[in-house]
Structures are given as structure tokens and as C-alpha cells.
Amino acid sequence: MNALTLPHSLDRQILIRARRETVFRYFTDSERWAAWWGAGSTIDARPGGKVFVRHPNAVESAGEVLEIDPPRRIVYTIGFSAGEAAAAGASRVTITLESDAAGTRLHLRHEFAEAEVRDHHVQGWRYQLAVFANVVANEAHAGAAALA
């Protein structure tokens, strides 16, 4: 485990109407990763693999995968590549997925060294998880109209 000292955390939980395996692919497949982060974003989903996010406003974030346990959990570092609140790899994100009768419950914990940096991410995660849920649901329910 990474030895970062990260006493401040941001916790979010959402329900996604898709199977856990479908949801988890959005953390392991670069094409799906880019579908909710932005074109050019990539993830190499193995311990030590690179995490890269190219946000729509051209800001870039980078880090590395620390742990992966498909389809239950992935842990990675992340931070802004230049001029923003946290340096590349300076914070840690833990995603845990639980099966639920209605789909998959996603638990996100993003840990930071400073409370101010955490606070900077509150609105971003609220937005990004809404985008994520919509992108996953669109794939999970593709073709549903044809079945009706």
C-alpha cells in the first residue's frame, strides 16, 4: 500500500442500474474509462499501471494503480499534472463495488493530505459520478427499447 499520509477523505456512494462486472469494466478498459473522464484518458489496470485523465477543460491528472481485485475493488493514486490543487499521484481513490438487488452500489473514497484540496473536489466528484452512472447505464441498457 502506498505510504501517503492522507487524513482527509471525501466519501460518495451511488447506485448504478447495471451488473457489477459491467460497472467494473469502466475502471479497467481505457475506452470505457475515457467515456466518462474525457477523450484521451487511459488506465492500465494492474498494480503499477498508469492512470491518466484528460479533463474536458484540457487539465490533466495522473497517478498509478495500487491494488485491483476484479470486480470488487480498485485503488489508485491521482493528482493534477500541473498548476492545480494536488500534485500527480498525491491523493488516493478507492472504488468498491457491491452487488445490489437494483444493480451495483459504488462506494468511492478519495483521500487527501489537506482538507482544502479535498473540498476542491466535492463538486467535481458529484458531477463525475453522475456522468459515470449515465454512461454505464447507457451501455447496460443498450437495446432495451428494441425489446419493449
Side-chain angles (χ1 to χ4, degrees):
M1 178 54 87
N2 195 313
L4 295 171
T5 301
L6 304 170
H8 304 282
S9 65
L10 169 63
D11 294 285
R12 291 281 178 263
Q13 189 176 144
I14 61 169
L15 179 64
I16 301 170
R17 298 192 184 285
R19 292 178 48 242
R20 187 168 64 169
E21 292 76 12
T22 300
V23 175
F24 198 78
R25 284 195 299 252
Y26 284 84
F27 295 97
T28 60
D29 175 79
S30 283
E31 186 175 329
R32 286 181 174 95
W33 177 262
W36 67 285
W37 277 115
S41 299
T42 60
I43 187 165
D44 180 3
R46 61 182 173 79
K50 183 180 176 187
V51 175
F52 178 73
V53 174
R54 181 170 289 132
H55 302 276
N57 59 1
V59 171
E60 296 178 350
S61 298
E64 76 174 55
V65 175
L66 300 176
E67 301 173 31
I68 186 165
D69 179 17
R72 292 171 201 80
R73 176 177 152 99
I74 186 166
V75 181
Y76 59 91
T77 63
I78 197 76
F80 293 104
S81 297
E84 292 290 334
S91 67
R92 181 174 46 235
V93 176
T94 301
I95 301 291
T96 307
L97 303 177
E98 294 177 6
S99 293
D100 183 281
T104 301
R105 190 160 302 281
L106 181 148
H107 301 270
L108 169 126
R109 169 165 275 196
H110 193 164
E111 299 167 276
F112 304 88
E114 301 169 12
E116 181 182 345
V117 177
R118 176 203 55 209
D119 296 346
H120 178 77
H121 285 75
V122 171
Q123 284 300 105
W125 272 119
R126 187 171 291 140
Y127 170 80
Q128 211 59 50
L129 288 175
V131 169
F132 180 77
N134 287 328
V135 167
V136 176
N138 285 343
E139 177 182 332
H141 302 292
L147 297 174

